[in-house]
Amino acid sequence: PLPRTGDALRAFHTALRSSPVNSKSQALKEQAQGTMLKVLTSFKSSDIEQAVNSLDRNGVDLLMKYIYKGFEKPTENSSAILLQWHEKALAVGGLGSIVRVLTARKTV
Amino acid sequence: MAYHSFLLEPISCHAWNKDRTQIALCPNNHEVHIYRKDGAKWSKIHELKEHNGQVTGIDWAPESNRLVTCGTDRNAYVWTLKGNIWKPTLVILRINRAARCVKWSPKENKFAVGSGSRLISICYFEQENDWWVCKHIKKPIRSTVLSLDWHPNNVLLAAGSCDFKCRIFSAYIKEVEERPSPTPWGSKMPFGELMFESSSSCGWVHSICFSASGARVAWVSHDSTLCLADANKKMAVASLCTETLPLLAVTFITENSLVAAGHDCYPMLFTYEEGQGVLTFGGKLDVPKQSSQRGLTARERFQNLDKKASSDTANATLDTLHKNSIRHISVLAGGKANCSQFCTTGMDGGMSIWDVKVRHPHCLCPPRLR
């Protein structure tokens, strides 16, 4: 069953905050990617926009990195929901946020 | 604003003469063409042919009226107008890769060339030998130098590089000038001294610019960021992640405002708030043309579906003045302290002149376009 909106939002912020962006451990990063994907796919479509608007500029950039990571390793229905996240994140972060996914030295 | 389409090919680089009646540009080949304004049109009056590779940088010294050009042929030439002919003088840069950018110093007794050799050649004229010589600034540059800008004191030089960093060096040449007085960037300025180095952004630094006072330096990187270092705040760096495609050119238009442009094909305004040390986006400076609102025929709809997988009626062409990336910006009037007019050239072979109107000089409102 889908979690309540409040829980999903909290899980979302926690996952972003504890992102191992500075770590060199591939295992740690993969674990974080898995967690983030679970959180993103657990959202109701109608709640995505609110979640994106609750982020600052760095948060949007980080989210965009996870969205593209999610595209890299698609699961059963992940791409569909990730595309919805992408649309909302793009509206806030602009093409610049995608450019920074491509140029980032510290990956997620 | 006024737009003139010079070429069907990109304009590689450009420079204006002192009274802004002539523009020198490279039409994406080994030559430099000089055009003169004749009323409403532009007439080509000179073709400078000496380089064996694409001309990557041109600078026109306003007082001495000399041109300096640099190219992928690893050479630089200083051009002097004798009568009605531009005569070139070769300058040996001692580099083994393409030259990428060139700038006269404010006093026009030196010029700096950035290159793929991962160094900066500082060139000055040696009277005894009647010959341009150069000294190299190498450490700690790790990749191609893409852009340069001189501090008003004629000694400090800012350099943007493909190693993701903005640096300020001393280019003090004792043969041609007095020891410089201390600046907010430091007091000891022996040749080659590194006065400032930014922490890495994540992109090639395409363009760099000192403010009119020299106390601030701003740069744009390929990771779609704009940064500014303020010497009066202990060289603190303010950075802004933009929502746009990467910017390729930036200039100060007042001590607190900048105009930048790049792959989005339109110039945009940014302001720096000194107290908080914050950069903010101030808006797009291009007025979109009214796109025609006619409907599509069935045939056009099908063509759209076939080509773009979309039957969208939205105008697929750019509604900006420039139809391709803007590569260079130059200040035409007012200097970097109070710019009232600037110029952009780009990959669409066009040149546009933009008028800036400062709404309220005494308040912090950002300037905007007339």
Side-chain angles (χ1 to χ4, degrees), chain A residues 57-58 61 91-97 99-100 103-106, chain B residues 164 201-203 222-225 240-246 264:
Chain A
R57 174 53 34 88
N58 288 338
D61 278 1
V92 174
L95 291 172
S97 62
V99 170
R100 283 184 289 280
T103 58
R105 307 297 280 176
K106 292 182 190 164
Chain B
F164 307 161
S201 61
C202 294
H222 202 67
D223 59 350
S224 292
T225 57
L240 177 65
C241 293
T242 70
E243 290 172 31
T244 62
L245 291 176
D264 276 306

Side-chain angles (χ1 to χ4, degrees), chain B residues 270-284:
Chain B
F270 295 90
T271 48
Y272 174 63
E273 204 276 291
E274 186 175 359
Q276 302 278 25
V278 164
L279 280 164
T280 26
F281 175 64
K284 186 172 154 168

Side-chain angles (χ1 to χ4, degrees), chain B residues 259-296:
Chain B
V259 163
H263 288 297
D264 276 306
C265 317
Y266 56 80
M268 51 194 97
L269 179 71
F270 295 90
T271 48
Y272 174 63
E273 204 276 291
E274 186 175 359
Q276 302 278 25
V278 164
L279 280 164
T280 26
F281 175 64
K284 186 172 154 168
L285 297 176
D286 196 334
V287 176
K289 282 205 298 287
Q290 298 287 41
S291 45
S292 58
Q293 288 299 320
R294 62 181 188 87
L296 289 184

